[in-house]
Amino acid sequence: MTLTFAAALASAGIEPADALVIRHAYVREHDDGTVGIHGDSSETEILAYTRVQSANTRTFPANPPGTWIVFLPEGGDRARLWSVLTNRGEVAHDGERRTFELEPTELMADLRGRLVIGWRSPRTWRINATTAAGYPVMEIADAEPVRFPGFDALTLDYPQLQAVIREHRYAAWRTALSSVIGIYLITDTRDGRHYVGKADGAETILQRWAAYATNGHGGNVELRNLTPSTFRLSVLRVFDPSTPTREIDAVESHYKHALDSRRHGLNRN
């Protein structure tokens, strides 16, 4: 049984009827003089290029859907996933071209640059996702490992935390986080409130953070009624697993006082 793009769409929670699929072509300059993209184009250049579309509704839909799944060309009949974008709507129209406000999303983030589908009509550069759903998956390449930045430089938003816990490319991060206990910080970026937490005893920072990735609160009463999507996690201090609990407790208390997370934050004690 052939694996199709429909499986990737379903896994990402994308409804095909609500998505547009684009396969860019590598053209440095179009016949009308507009600049295209090429194999060395930056992420910013590709996004800027995608934002501008023809005003001709026979070329591009008059009311394009809210989700755009963008691929880059690979040979004549293959397409490699670049990104999934949210279309916030048209922001400019000069009679020939329309410009859209597009925002990158985390949808299919684990498949960016890895997923390759067969593109059945090389001359067609955009199709409805309902059609693309039937296209075969040709390849899912191994994820390129992401270098661990070190504890002092480690900052994760909530979607990245979930990726660190589950994706193979973050294996080095999991190894590092599983080797230490310590004090960490959760900031609710909506209002700036802090929660100072600790991983001690037999529980490493990885184990503690995996609980947050699973349910958003890790069993902490202070966090249960909050939406974790705006959480940002960082490490304040790490310890060897043999460090006495009283020493870790003292450092945790210091950070709660320094950050005033009891009176003006999310710590209750």
Side-chain angles (χ1 to χ4, degrees), residues 62-81:
N63 297 297
T67 300
W68 297 11
I69 307 170
V70 182
F71 287 82
L72 297 177
E74 189 160 290
D77 59 355
R78 289 161 58 99
R80 187 174 294 272
L81 180 65

Side-chain angles (χ1 to χ4, degrees), residues 206-222:
L206 177 66
Q207 291 171 311
R208 195 77 199 93
W209 283 12
Y212 293 119
T214 299
N215 59 28
H217 55 74
N220 299 118
V221 174
E222 303 87 344

Side-chain angles (χ1 to χ4, degrees), residues 46-106:
I46 296 172
L47 179 60
Y49 179 71
T50 307
R51 292 181 65 229
V52 181
Q53 299 294 336
S54 173
N56 186 338
T57 56
R58 290 178 297 178
T59 301
F60 196 75
N63 297 297
T67 300
W68 297 11
I69 307 170
V70 182
F71 287 82
L72 297 177
E74 189 160 290
D77 59 355
R78 289 161 58 99
R80 187 174 294 272
L81 180 65
W82 175 67
S83 188
V84 179
L85 309 173
T86 293
N87 167 29
R88 299 295 185 191
E90 185 179 307
V91 294
H93 191 316
D94 65 5
E96 294 185 1
R97 300 181 186 87
R98 302 158 66 198
T99 302
F100 294 86
E101 181 181 351
L102 303 179
E103 295 179 2
T105 75
E106 290 300 311

Side-chain angles (χ1 to χ4, degrees), residues 15-42:
E15 176 57 50
D18 299 328
L20 180 72
V21 180
I22 293 172
R23 177 187 185 255
H24 285 313
Y26 285 149
V27 180
R28 288 183 178 270
E29 184 175 319
H30 292 277
D31 294 338
D32 61 2
T34 57
V35 177
I37 59 172
H38 49 82
D40 295 324
S41 292
S42 67

Side-chain angles (χ1 to χ4, degrees), residues 6-248:
L9 292 170
S11 180
I14 297 175
E15 176 57 50
D18 299 328
L20 180 72
V21 180
I22 293 172
R23 177 187 185 255
H24 285 313
Y26 285 149
V27 180
R28 288 183 178 270
E29 184 175 319
H30 292 277
D31 294 338
D32 61 2
T34 57
V35 177
I37 59 172
H38 49 82
D40 295 324
S41 292
S42 67
E43 299 281 296
T44 300
E45 290 169 337
I46 296 172
L47 179 60
Y49 179 71
T50 307
R51 292 181 65 229
V52 181
Q53 299 294 336
S54 173
N56 186 338
T57 56
R58 290 178 297 178
T59 301
F60 196 75
N63 297 297
T67 300
W68 297 11
I69 307 170
V70 182
F71 287 82
L72 297 177
E74 189 160 290
D77 59 355
R78 289 161 58 99
R80 187 174 294 272
L81 180 65
W82 175 67
S83 188
V84 179
L85 309 173
T86 293
N87 167 29
R88 299 295 185 191
E90 185 179 307
V91 294
H93 191 316
D94 65 5
E96 294 185 1
R97 300 181 186 87
R98 302 158 66 198
T99 302
F100 294 86
E101 181 181 351
L102 303 179
E103 295 179 2
T105 75
E106 290 300 311
L107 294 173
M108 295 190 188
D110 58 331
L111 294 176
R112 290 177 192 159
R114 300 176 56 216
L115 173 67
V116 178
I117 64 174
W119 197 262
R120 290 175 175 164
S121 303
R123 291 190 175 185
T124 302
W125 62 272
R126 59 95 182 165
I127 55 176
N128 295 325
T130 50
T131 299
Y135 283 12
V137 172
M138 309 298 290
E139 175 188 344
I140 300 179
D142 289 339
E144 183 177 345
V146 180
R147 183 183 64 82
F148 182 65
F151 295 111
D152 290 342
L154 180 62
T155 302
L156 301 176
D157 59 23
Y158 193 70
Q160 189 179 14
L161 169 66
Q162 294 180 308
V164 165
I165 297 303
R166 71 172 186 264
E167 293 180 17
H168 177 69
R169 60 190 174 130
Y170 288 104
W173 298 46
R174 291 193 294 274
T175 298
L177 293 168
S178 68
S179 68
V180 295
I181 58 178
I183 310 301
Y184 58 86
L185 180 70
I186 298 177
T187 302
D188 188 340
T189 58
R190 286 171 298 190
D191 54 24
R193 289 187 297 168
H194 295 310
Y195 175 84
V196 176
K198 67 177 177 179
D200 59 5
E203 189 175 44
T204 66
I205 289 181
L206 177 66
Q207 291 171 311
R208 195 77 199 93
W209 283 12
Y212 293 119
T214 299
N215 59 28
H217 55 74
N220 299 118
V221 174
E222 303 87 344
L223 306 179
R224 282 186 182 275
N225 296 322
L226 300 178
T227 302
S229 61
T230 55
F231 287 175
R232 184 174 63 218
L233 291 84
S234 57
V235 175
L236 296 175
R237 186 167 171 183
V238 297
F239 297 90
D240 182 272
S242 63
T243 304
T245 301
R246 64 179 180 278
E247 182 177 337
I248 300 171

